[in-house]
């Protein structure tokens, strides 16, 4: 099941694991925090846009019941890795990984058929300088195959009226995020900033938007990742071990 250069990493929840490549882009805490930020009901149909190696669909499947999750990814190598990770966790009846472009996602999945859409999109605009030589790393970090607007537009197309869009991004793109959400009738409802330490600036934001909702934004208390000792805070530790994302 593993190919050259790959390893199997445990996810510390329900004996789940994921395949990662030592030289390819690997998931970070932003994916874990986003998966935890999601709320879903039993029976929800979910899509993760730009699913990479499948980390968010796998975590959501582990923490929900009777949901079905599609993962859409443009990189063939990552699609292959994600499909094998799904199989390793015996989640073929809960997760389907699709090789496709988010800019044409409606051709793959149709219009307005989903309750929840999630995305951990590339954070950096093109022409801001590639920092990595590895192509997979560049595609994951930079808007090579679709920018922020493309991901928001895709979520709009996929969601039913009243459906929810959950996204993680960077605070310096907050104005762009809000602008595109409003443009595509996805009203921002919850916003939470993530800080490395108590006295540091936020380096991530978590946002929930709802299709067709009335304006009313709740800014949640900040999430702090590390203690002064460098260990995870108690909240982050609880996130890594949290067993459920389902709404009551």
């Amino acid at each position: 099941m593993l190919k050259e250069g790959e390893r199997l990493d445990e996810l510390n929840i329900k004996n789940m694991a994921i395949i990662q490549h030592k030289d390819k882009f690997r998931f970070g805490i932003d994916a874990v925090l986003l998966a935890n930020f999601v709320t879903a009901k039993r029976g929800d149909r979910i899509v993760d846009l730009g699913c990479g190696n499948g980390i968010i669909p796998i975590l959501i499947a582990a923490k929900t019941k009777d949901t079905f999750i599609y993962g859409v990814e443009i990189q063939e190598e990552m699609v292959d890795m994600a499909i094998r990770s799904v199989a390793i966790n015996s989640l073929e009846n809960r997760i389907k990984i699709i090789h496709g472009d988010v800019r044409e996602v409606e051709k793959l999945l149709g219009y307005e058929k989903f309750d929840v859409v999630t995305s951990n999109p590339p954070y950096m605009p093109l022409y801001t300088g590639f920092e990595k030589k590895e192509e997979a790393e560049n595609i994951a970090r930079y808007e090579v195959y679709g920018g922020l607007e493309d991901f928001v537009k895709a979520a709009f197309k996929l969601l039913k009226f009243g459906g929810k869009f959950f996204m993680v991004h960077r605070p310096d793109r907050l104005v762009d995020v809000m602008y595109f959400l409003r443009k595509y009738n996805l009203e921002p409802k919850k916003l939470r900033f993530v800080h490395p330490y108590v006295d540091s600036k936020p380096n991530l934001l978590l946002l929930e938007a709802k299709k067709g909702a009335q304006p009313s934004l709740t800014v949640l208390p900040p999430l702090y990742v590390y203690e002064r000792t460098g260990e995870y805070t108690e909240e982050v530790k609880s996130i890594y071990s949290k067993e459920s994302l389902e709404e009551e």
Side-chain angles (χ1 to χ4, degrees), residues 210-230:
K210 188 173 183 179
K211 186 171 181 176
Q214 293 298 312
S216 177
L217 176 65
T218 299
V219 179
L220 301 171
L223 191 161
Y224 301 112
V225 176
Y226 297 107
E227 302 283 5
R228 282 289 176 203
T229 59

Side-chain angles (χ1 to χ4, degrees), residues 33-180:
L33 296 179
L34 176 60
N36 178 74
F37 191 66
V38 171
T39 54
K41 301 185 297 295
R42 289 191 177 196
D44 274 355
R45 288 165 52 83
I46 301 168
V47 182
D48 182 46
L49 300 173
C51 71
N53 64 357
I55 180 61
I56 292 173
I58 289 170
L59 287 176
I60 292 176
K63 298 182 179 188
T64 59
K65 295 179 180 179
D66 301 326
T67 56
F68 191 89
I69 307 123
Y70 287 91
V72 180
E73 173 56 46
I74 199 165
Q75 299 185 72
E76 289 188 43
E77 281 186 285
M78 302 303 286
V79 168
D80 173 66
M81 204 179 299
I83 289 172
R84 287 183 286 124
S85 287
V86 169
I88 282 174
N89 292 294
S90 301
L91 288 170
E92 296 96 328
N93 64 333
R94 300 276 314 281
I95 299 173
K96 183 176 178 61
I97 305 297
I98 297 175
H99 179 224
D101 191 326
V102 298
R103 294 169 293 186
E104 299 180 336
V105 71
E106 72 280 3
K107 296 179 182 178
L108 300 170
L109 297 174
Y111 286 92
E112 299 186 340
K113 295 184 177 181
F114 294 89
D115 306 286
V116 174
V117 174
T118 65
S119 188
N120 178 9
Y123 297 148
M124 308 297 291
L126 281 176
Y127 312 118
T128 55
F130 286 0
E131 297 176 358
K132 305 289 183 181
K133 294 181 181 179
E134 171 59 49
E135 182 183 15
E137 188 94 358
N138 284 333
I139 292 171
R141 293 182 182 277
Y142 294 88
E143 295 175 335
V144 177
Y145 291 110
L148 175 58
E149 181 173 8
D150 296 304
F151 281 81
V152 174
K153 186 177 181 180
F156 165 76
K157 291 177 180 179
L158 293 170
L159 284 170
K160 302 173 183 177
F161 186 84
K164 294 180 179 181
F165 179 41
F166 297 89
M167 179 172 57
V168 60
H169 218 290
R170 289 190 173 179
D172 60 0
R173 300 293 304 277
L174 178 58
V175 174
D176 295 332
V177 169
M178 294 298 193
Y179 172 78
F180 290 128

